[in-house]
Amino acid sequence: MLAPDLTILVIDENAIRASIIEEGLREAGHGKVTVIHEVNGVAKIIETLKPDVIVIDIENPNRDMMEHLFQLTRTVSRPIAMFVDRSDTASIEAAVEAGVSAYVVDGLKKERVKPILDMAVSRFNAFSRLQRELAEAKSALEERKVIERAKGILMKMKGLSEEEAFALLRQSAMNEKKKIAEIAQSVVTAAGLLM
């Protein structure tokens, strides 16, 4: 699951609780563990350290601190595991929306840190894959729409059948070593200027 050479950032204002997490990570074979005890300025630390995984431990979360952390987690594209002592439905929903991969209530035990981090990384990777697939599907759909519009324009302007219009787009794409969608976009843009 987790490679031992991962860089892990632990954010915890409580030194005792942070040492439990750090000890659990080190016992699991992780040597690159950085612990910070202050939430302020954490964005700069993340930018400098470039951690592979972020662990946030909040003993008694208040609304302002949670909002600050959630704003931060929305901007970093990394697996995040969060430990809290108590929570409510709104906090859990906000954490999930902010991109927290694992949200553990009242479960800070040294031996649980590694499996929870493994799960956070797995969930993050699965979610990232789904986001990538969704973006690819949207892009393919947009390309398809542009190609359909370009075929319609060519059919109308040149009196071609649908198959002939597509063949013309495909041939132009091969001749110019471009994607059909790029040629189609050029046709649509040119038609927009001429009409």
Side-chain angles (χ1 to χ4, degrees):
M1 277 291 199
L2 280 181
D5 60 344
L6 288 178
T7 301
I8 301 171
L9 174 62
V10 178
I11 303 169
D12 194 335
E13 292 180 329
N14 182 315
I16 294 169
R17 291 170 62 92
S19 67
I20 293 170
I21 294 172
E22 184 176 13
E23 190 177 329
L25 290 169
R26 294 202 188 278
E27 284 181 11
H30 298 289
K32 297 179 185 176
V33 179
T34 302
V35 179
I36 61 170
H37 300 291
E38 182 59 45
V39 175
N40 295 331
V42 75
K44 187 158 183 70
I45 293 168
I46 290 172
E47 188 178 314
T48 304
L49 187 63
K50 295 186 184 355
D52 298 303
V53 182
I54 300 171
V55 177
I56 301 170
D57 180 43
I58 304 172
E59 191 174 359
N60 295 309
N62 65 47
R63 191 173 196 78
D64 290 340
M65 181 189 295
M66 292 293 273
E67 185 55 38
H68 177 73
L69 287 171
F70 292 159
Q71 284 176 356
L72 173 75
T73 58
R74 283 184 193 100
T75 61
V76 289
S77 183
R78 290 174 178 79
I80 298 166
M82 182 175 276
F83 292 89
V84 296
D85 277 357
R86 57 182 179 271
S87 187
D88 55 56
T89 305
S91 296
I92 293 169
E93 288 174 1
V96 170
E97 184 145 327
V100 172
S101 305
Y103 189 87
V104 182
V105 180
D106 193 27
L108 181 59
K109 291 184 177 72
K110 164 177 82 166
E111 57 277 355
R112 291 188 66 204
V113 173
K114 184 187 180 328
I116 289 169
L117 240 55
D118 286 345
M119 191 264 306
V121 170
S122 293
R123 258 192 91 213
F124 175 81
N125 290 339
F127 186 69
S128 294
R129 187 178 56 251
L130 286 173
Q131 284 182 312
R132 230 179 3 262
E133 289 171 2
L134 178 61
E136 289 168 4
K138 284 181 178 179
S139 177
L141 182 59
E142 287 303 313
E143 286 180 358
R144 193 79 221 131
K145 286 179 183 178
V146 169
I147 291 169
E148 291 300 318
R149 284 180 36 213
K151 284 192 315 188
I153 291 166
L154 291 173
M155 290 165 60
K156 184 176 180 181
M157 293 178 83
K158 293 187 165 257
L160 301 173
S161 70
E162 185 176 354
E163 293 79 20
E164 291 169 329
F166 185 75
L168 182 58
L169 288 171
R170 186 177 61 231
Q171 188 60 51
S172 296
M174 287 190 293
N175 291 346
E176 294 187 35
K177 293 182 172 70
K178 292 183 177 182
K179 292 174 66 177
I180 293 176
E182 291 176 69
I183 299 298
Q185 184 61 57
S186 297
V187 169
V188 170
T189 301
L193 293 173
L194 297 173
M195 293 179 171

